[in-house]
Amino acid sequence: MEIIFQLATQMSMLMLNDTLTATTSGLETIFKQDTQSDVAGAQAILILSIIGSFLSAVSTSIKIKKLEKDDFLSTTGKIITGMRSLMTTLLRVWCLVFFFTPYLGLLNILAHWKGEQIPFRTSPSQEFYFMVDGKVETIPFKVLNRVDNSTTPPSLPHYSLYTQIDLASAYKVILCLLLVQMIVTHGAKYFTSKSYKQSCFFEKFVHLTECLNIPSIHSDWDSEGGNVNQHRQRWRQVWREMVAMEIITWLANIILVLPILVTGIYVRERHFLTALAVGSFDEEIEAFNLVTLLMWVLPLSVTVVALLDLALFHLYNINYHPWKLILVDDKSGVWSLESRENSLKLRDSHNEL
């Protein structure tokens, strides 16, 4: 689990160095070098570290699956396992990064807030007049200029006008989210996984922490002995468990991208106001276009990856699992009952070794 948060932190640091709308400082200290070449070197090292961590996560998942199957994992099975690991890891890391993007001001997404740091000239009028299609329109001046002039010096608008909460509160929110996800996951597994229900507290806790980021089952349908029907029954239980994990992970990832949606609503609202009244900076137009794109791309990506991961899980178990013949339907006419029983005997003999 720690590699997911490590990757999210590294990527946030890398992006924070390039943003012009940062809300905090300190994380980018690593890039404060004497020369441009030193900065480029630090960035290159961090990028290589990120790539290495992703590759390590994928290779580790393949090795674990290979050990579970006593080196009976086929090449295609390894590819599917690697694809699932890379896909779900990438998605979770990006969801965590996008959760903190508004609160850190990454991707120059708070360009409108940055523009508000340039105060308007004090106006004696309570209304601001501007032209739209040849007609005079008015808005309250305090809506356009949100600098608080009642203090000395005047208080500039806070970025929480766009994000609704600050960075410190965001950390508390994500900790609560992770705790709730663990509780919900525990409940789902308690009713869908017999092996999880019978496991000790420590084993439950370790498995729950793993499921926080990557949807996974507690034990495979071939982990115990039995006849063909018993294996098929366990497969149906495993499938229900995996569907439940995908739904919970999908909901958690959707919640992680909600800050982008919330910030997007306020960025778009501010953009429509200032674009008509005083015009927009190029950076504000870029931020508007970016957040508008992210507001539909992120939920769609989370949904597509969840469905694809579930499809790959089913494909692996039905077509590329080492003991797939046990699950073959009698009506298919492809494999005989004798073939399935031989596969079952081979699987049992391997477990005894």
Side-chain angles (χ1 to χ4, degrees):
M1 182 185 76
E2 66 276 1
I3 194 172
I4 302 291
F5 296 103
Q6 173 189 329
L7 283 166
T9 301
Q10 290 177 330
M11 293 180 69
S12 297
M13 289 173 59
L14 192 63
M15 295 165 66
L16 188 61
N17 182 62
D18 294 326
T19 188
L20 300 176
T21 63
T23 61
T24 186
S25 59
L27 291 177
E28 72 279 15
T29 305
I30 186 174
F31 298 110
K32 291 183 178 179
Q33 306 293 336
D34 296 331
T35 65
Q36 191 63 32
S37 61
D38 292 336
V39 173
Q43 289 179 325
I45 292 173
L46 190 54
I47 291 173
L48 290 175
S49 175
I50 292 172
I51 295 174
S53 296
F54 273 116
L55 294 177
S56 175
V58 173
S59 63
T60 300
S61 66
I62 294 175
K63 290 176 181 178
I64 291 175
K65 180 65 70 173
K66 186 179 178 181
L67 288 173
E68 288 177 353
K69 304 308 174 189
D70 299 319
D71 290 333
F72 267 74
L73 191 64
S74 65
T75 300
T76 306
K78 294 177 184 177
I79 293 174
I80 292 176
T81 301
M83 286 178 60
R84 289 190 60 219
S85 176
L86 180 61
M87 189 171 57
T88 52
T89 300
L90 273 172
L91 177 68
R92 186 65 171 188
V93 169
W94 276 114
C95 284
L96 288 169
V97 171
F98 279 119
F99 176 85
F100 287 106
T101 290
Y103 310 114
L104 292 173
L106 304 180
L107 300 175
N108 297 327
I109 203 171
L110 293 181
H112 294 78
W113 166 71
K114 203 69 174 180
E116 289 196 72
Q117 305 306 296
I118 307 173
F120 287 82
R121 276 189 245 173
T122 305
S123 172
S125 174
Q126 298 296 317
E127 301 291 326
F128 184 85
Y129 298 86
F130 58 98
M131 299 288 293
V132 178
D133 297 330
K135 297 181 180 180
V136 177
E137 301 286 346
T138 64
I139 57 172
F141 186 72
K142 63 180 181 180
V143 172
L144 192 62
N145 180 33
R146 295 192 283 188
V147 175
D148 185 3
N149 292 302
S150 63
T151 62
T152 303
S155 300
L156 298 176
H158 194 263
Y159 66 86
S160 59
L161 289 172
Y162 295 89
T163 61
Q164 300 307 292
I165 60 174
D166 59 13
L167 181 60
S169 299
Y171 279 112
K172 298 175 183 177
V173 168
I174 198 169
L175 288 176
C176 291
L177 172 61
L178 294 175
L179 177 60
V180 170
Q181 185 180 351
M182 286 186 69
I183 294 173
V184 173
T185 301
H186 168 73
K189 285 189 173 291
Y190 191 83
F191 291 104
T192 59
S193 174
K194 182 180 178 180
S195 61
Y196 174 83
K197 188 175 181 179
Q198 296 174 344
S199 62
C200 65
F201 172 80
F202 180 75
E203 185 179 343
K204 284 188 176 76
F205 180 78
V206 171
H207 183 63
L208 289 175
T209 56
E210 293 173 351
C211 291
L212 279 177
N213 297 306
I214 307 297
S216 59
I217 56 175
H218 183 261
S219 60
D220 208 349
W221 54 267
D222 65 340
S223 59
E224 299 178 24
N227 57 34
V228 172
N229 289 331
Q230 288 173 325
H231 279 78
R232 288 180 176 178
Q233 183 180 2
R234 284 199 296 271
W235 155 243
R236 288 190 289 270
Q237 293 173 347
V238 164
W239 174 246
R240 286 194 292 268
E241 180 186 357
M242 190 62 190
V243 170
M245 291 304 98
E246 289 288 0
I247 293 174
I248 293 172
T249 305
W250 175 81
L251 284 172
N253 287 336
I254 285 292
I255 293 174
L256 285 177
V257 301
L258 280 180
I260 288 287
L261 306 185
V262 172
T263 303
I265 291 172
Y266 288 97
V267 165
R268 287 169 58 83
E269 179 184 289
R270 181 68 181 179
H271 185 81
F272 289 134
L273 173 66
T274 58
L276 289 175
V278 295
S280 302
F281 294 111
D282 291 340
E283 294 82 0
E284 291 176 333
I285 296 174
E286 292 173 1
F288 169 82
N289 292 334
L290 176 61
V291 78
T292 301
L293 179 66
L294 292 176
M295 288 176 73
W296 68 267
V297 167
L298 291 181
L300 179 62
S301 299
V302 169
T303 303
V304 168
V305 170
L307 293 174
L308 184 57
D309 184 52
L310 195 60
L312 288 174
F313 177 80
H314 190 275
L315 178 68
Y316 164 77
N317 280 277
I318 298 301
N319 294 87
Y320 300 105
H321 194 284
W323 319 116
K324 61 184 179 181
L325 298 186
I326 300 174
L327 302 180
V328 174
D329 191 357
D330 290 331
K331 297 179 181 179
S332 65
V334 179
W335 303 102
S336 65
L337 178 61
E338 183 180 358
S339 298
R340 294 196 300 276
E341 290 177 346
N342 289 337
S343 180
L344 183 58
K345 290 177 182 178
L346 179 61
R347 201 276 311 165
D348 289 339
S349 64
H350 232 289
N351 286 346
E352 292 173 1
L353 295 178

